Amino acid sequence: MSVRILALVGSLRAGSHNRQLAEAAVKVAPEGSDIQLYEGLADIPFYNEDIDVEGDVPAAAARLREAAAAADALLLFTPEYNGTIPAVLKNAIDWLSRPYGTGAITDKPVAVVGTAFGQYGGVWAQDEARKAVGIAGGKVLEDVKLSIPGSVTRFAETHPADDAEVVAQIAEVVTRLHGHGTDQAAA
């Protein structure tokens, strides 16, 4: 049974280290895991109930909801902007939380990881993302974590997929998420 994992990256920057970390996750995914790196978070309008109308949801938001609904689990990659979660990732979580109680991530396993320049690797942003996605209905895997500090220097000349320590760590995250996603896929 294939486990479909939707990866959302909270940085839109072309050279984003979190994007590179997501690419590494795709490379090390265990057999039976299909990780889809979602493209298009930049196209989704800010959440507004006035435009979240059944049958008339903005196309970019509808695509995100469809992708999340088709996934067995989600893997969020977040940098830390001013001590918290980036707006683009929070906006995606807001769209996925609706309709209230039946959003596309309701009861789905969600892991949050990331890398940031600071000495703690974006822990605050990851904690905020876990809080938001849990309130939104996701089943947050509190024991599946990865915070990589010093991204600007650590990945200045090395892609995360070429860093043996990072590869082992992200492989462990994906393997554990895969296990939770297997349960979801079987349900």
Side-chain angles (χ1 to χ4, degrees):
M1 168 186 314
S2 181
V3 174
R4 295 161 303 193
I5 299 171
L6 181 64
L8 303 180
V9 179
S11 174
L12 302 177
R13 188 172 64 85
S16 163
H17 297 123
N18 279 282
R19 171 69 184 209
Q20 292 174 357
L21 186 59
E23 292 166 354
V26 170
K27 287 182 180 180
V28 301
E31 187 173 329
S33 284
D34 175 25
I35 300 179
Q36 174 196 359
L37 262 66
Y38 189 80
E39 303 292 346
L41 290 185
D43 301 327
I44 301 169
F46 282 113
Y47 184 79
N48 176 342
E49 280 186 279
D50 292 341
I51 63 172
D52 188 5
V53 178
E54 189 174 340
D56 198 27
V57 172
R63 281 191 297 276
L64 173 64
R65 285 178 173 169
E66 289 166 7
D72 300 307
L74 280 82
L75 181 54
L76 279 52
F77 294 84
T78 186
E80 189 168 277
Y81 293 172
N82 298 311
T84 193
I85 183 173
V88 69
L89 187 56
K90 176 63 168 71
N91 188 49
I93 293 168
D94 290 344
W95 278 103
L96 293 173
S97 73
R98 302 289 195 263
Y100 180 76
T102 60
I105 58 172
T106 300
D107 295 328
K108 292 194 183 210
V110 181
V112 180
V113 299
T115 184
F117 178 62
Q119 66 180 339
Y120 302 112
V123 172
W124 289 347
Q126 291 178 34
D127 288 345
E128 292 293 321
R130 285 185 196 93
K131 175 183 170 186
V133 83
I135 292 169
K139 188 167 65 175
V140 178
L141 305 179
E142 293 288 350
D143 62 335
V144 180
K145 297 180 178 182
L146 176 58
S147 301
I148 304 169
S151 61
V152 173
T153 52
R154 183 165 190 167
F155 303 125
E157 296 179 19
T158 303
H159 190 286
D162 298 324
D163 182 315
E165 180 183 20
V166 170
V167 167
Q169 292 170 328
I170 196 66
E172 175 66 18
V173 165
V174 174
T175 298
R176 293 181 66 200
L177 181 59
H178 172 93
H180 289 277
T182 301
D183 297 340
Q184 181 71 23

